[in-house]
Amino acid sequence: MRDNTLATKGLLALSLVIAIDSFGFEMVLPLLAPLFSKSQHFVPVSTDLPQRHIYYGLTLGIYSFMVFLSAPCWGALSDRYGRRLILLICVATGLFAFLGTGICIFYGLVWLFILMRAISGGAAGSEAVAQAWVVESSPAGQRYRYLGFLIAALVVGAIAGPFVSGYLTLGNVSVHWRFARPFFLVFLLSLMNLIILLVVFRSHSAPNKEVNSRQRPGFFSTPGLMGLAFSYLLFQLGWGLYSMTNPIRLIALFHFDALHIGLLIALLGTGFVLSLVFLTPRLLDQFGTRASAVAGCIAMGAMVCLTLIVPTPDYWQYIMAFLVGVANGVGVLSFMSAFAEIGQTESCGFFIGVANASMSLALALSGFLLTHLLNLSAVYVFLIAAALSVLGTVCLTLAKA
């Protein structure tokens, strides 16, 4: 019997890798809205508001779209060639993409900046590969607990990223330097990531190059996979519209800057982590993966709507961001546990890759849709986000296991 004992060093190393990757992604969120606003000079001053919205949505969407394209491929490659090699490739590529992104901001290269975000998204396969390693290395009945630990590490990075990037934009220096500094920081952290993987991490899974096409799982041939993926896509599409619209809304209504947006996102991430650690495991034990996922979808839709009920004072936004984070944590861990249970352990890289691809496609669609939806009131966008999240429960209920 294969040794499935979860190595502490491996889990800690992967948790640090995921936390730093998440830090690099989430630190971008509070930067983009101010970066493309009229008060900054990253884009030409003559650029009108609709064009700025296009830049904003495209920058958000292109990253996630590239993750959508690459995540299943990285997961399948890790099934075939081993987790460690694919992780090293992903981290090394992302390292240079972050450096390039900082340089583009420093010199005001807008389209090259968007290209660097696309490369970063294409290299963002470490999350799916790390989750696949946890699935194959943990006891079947405890997978969601270990997945929760790994996702919690991801959210720790997500909390720190906006908070640190918000502070790094302060100071009496040029706009380009202030907004480039966070990317240079994450370049150094990614370099540390690469060293940790080289020195500490050893994959439990041996490369399996003998797997033929008949043995490989398929998206359409695996029972229940397509319905689960579509339900998760709707849930994440609702989340994406909410999370990408909220910074623009907060700037317009409450004059939030990058620091305050970072604090709000950090509070949202805190709710997410607490949900993963304390609430969601108990729901999964008591009700199972699908019922817990339905609860998460409904709760997030409700919290998004409640955000609009009391528009002032501004501290209500912080409270609701925390509660949205709690609801999102229930949904994410429940869905990820459902993906982990749907197929064979030997092919878990592919199934986790599909889960990450569904999430990334949803976030990409959110970014692209916002180029048009931002011309509407944020109230309508929030209502659409809530409806999509609830619609995910309908599809999940109808999908056959």
Side-chain angles (χ1 to χ4, degrees):
M1 181 178 179
R2 189 179 60 174
D3 183 13
N4 281 331
T5 303
L6 198 62
T8 303
K9 284 186 178 181
L11 181 60
L12 292 177
L14 284 182
S15 297
L16 185 57
V17 168
I18 293 301
I20 293 175
D21 278 357
S22 175
F23 178 93
F25 171 72
E26 295 291 341
M27 75 169 190
V28 177
L29 297 182
L31 300 180
L32 290 182
L35 189 64
F36 289 114
S37 68
K38 290 185 177 181
S39 62
Q40 311 299 337
H41 301 288
F42 179 57
V43 296
V45 178
S46 59
T47 306
D48 59 18
L49 189 60
Q51 184 65 33
R52 292 175 185 272
H53 288 165
I54 290 175
Y55 284 138
Y56 178 72
L58 186 59
T59 303
L60 287 170
I62 195 67
Y63 179 97
S64 298
F65 181 70
M66 292 303 296
V67 177
F68 160 71
L69 294 178
S70 63
C73 298
W74 289 127
L77 287 172
S78 72
D79 288 337
R80 185 174 175 84
Y81 296 104
R83 314 296 182 203
R84 185 172 183 269
L85 175 62
I86 303 304
L87 279 171
L88 290 172
I89 293 173
C90 292
V91 172
T93 306
L95 183 151
F96 290 105
F98 279 120
L99 177 62
T101 304
I103 293 173
C104 290
I105 293 178
F106 188 79
Y107 288 102
L109 307 172
V110 179
W111 286 106
L112 193 56
F113 167 79
I114 295 174
L115 176 61
M116 289 295 105
R117 294 303 298 156
I119 295 173
S120 295
S126 56
E127 180 181 345
V129 177
Q131 289 169 346
W133 181 87
V134 167
V135 168
E136 70 183 4
S137 303
S138 58
Q142 297 296 316
R143 285 176 183 169
Y144 62 82
R145 295 186 184 275
Y146 293 116
L147 279 172
F149 185 86
L150 201 64
I151 297 173
L154 181 148
V155 180
V156 168
I159 293 172
F163 186 79
V164 173
S165 66
Y167 270 106
L168 288 177
T169 59
L170 302 177
N172 296 320
V173 294
S174 70
V175 170
H176 291 172
W177 173 241
R178 285 192 286 118
F179 282 88
R181 282 187 296 191
F183 290 95
F184 293 141
L185 172 62
V186 81
F187 164 76
L188 296 176
L189 292 175
S190 296
L191 182 60
M192 183 178 70
N193 240 353
L194 190 62
I195 295 171
I196 290 171
L197 281 175
L198 287 169
V199 174
V200 177
F201 181 69
R202 294 292 183 271
S203 176
H204 286 189
S205 62
N208 187 13
K209 299 182 181 180
E210 301 301 323
V211 176
N212 58 47
S213 58
R214 292 184 179 180
Q215 293 174 312
R216 293 172 190 164
F219 179 75
F220 297 102
S221 60
T222 303
L225 180 58
M226 185 168 62
L228 182 62
F230 186 66
S231 301
Y232 192 42
L233 182 139
L234 291 174
F235 171 74
Q236 288 290 353
L237 184 57
W239 159 252
L241 290 176
Y242 161 81
S243 62
M244 294 179 188
T245 304
N246 208 26
I248 300 291
R249 172 177 168 271
L250 293 172
I251 290 173
L253 289 180
F254 305 106
H255 307 291
F256 275 32
D257 55 17
L259 176 59
H260 289 91
I261 294 173
L263 290 173
L264 183 135
I265 294 175
L267 191 59
L268 187 152
T270 301
F272 190 98
V273 170
L274 292 177
S275 174
L276 293 178
V277 175
F278 298 107
L279 176 61
T280 311
R282 289 170 172 78
L283 291 176
L284 290 169
D285 282 336
Q286 187 71 26
F287 303 106
T289 55
R290 289 181 178 262
S292 299
V294 167
C297 290
I298 295 174
M300 197 182 77
M303 294 304 105
V304 170
C305 290
L306 285 174
T307 303
L308 300 171
I309 290 180
V310 184
T312 55
D314 57 356
Y315 65 74
W316 176 256
Q317 305 304 314
Y318 291 98
I319 294 172
M320 294 313 303
F322 176 83
L323 294 177
V324 169
V326 171
N328 192 42
V330 173
V332 168
L333 183 54
S334 300
F335 271 108
M336 293 303 297
S337 299
F339 277 103
E341 293 173 354
I342 205 169
Q344 297 178 353
T345 302
E346 291 77 11
S347 301
C348 59
F350 172 77
F351 295 111
I352 297 297
V354 170
N356 282 272
S358 299
M359 176 186 67
S360 300
L361 177 59
L363 296 179
L365 289 173
S366 299
F368 295 141
L369 287 173
L370 280 181
T371 61
H372 302 287
L373 292 177
L374 283 176
N375 296 321
L376 303 175
S377 169
V379 173
Y380 295 116
V381 182
F382 271 39
L383 292 176
I384 292 171
L388 287 168
S389 181
V390 174
L391 185 59
T393 68
V394 177
C395 294
L396 186 62
T397 302
L398 295 176
K400 292 181 179 180

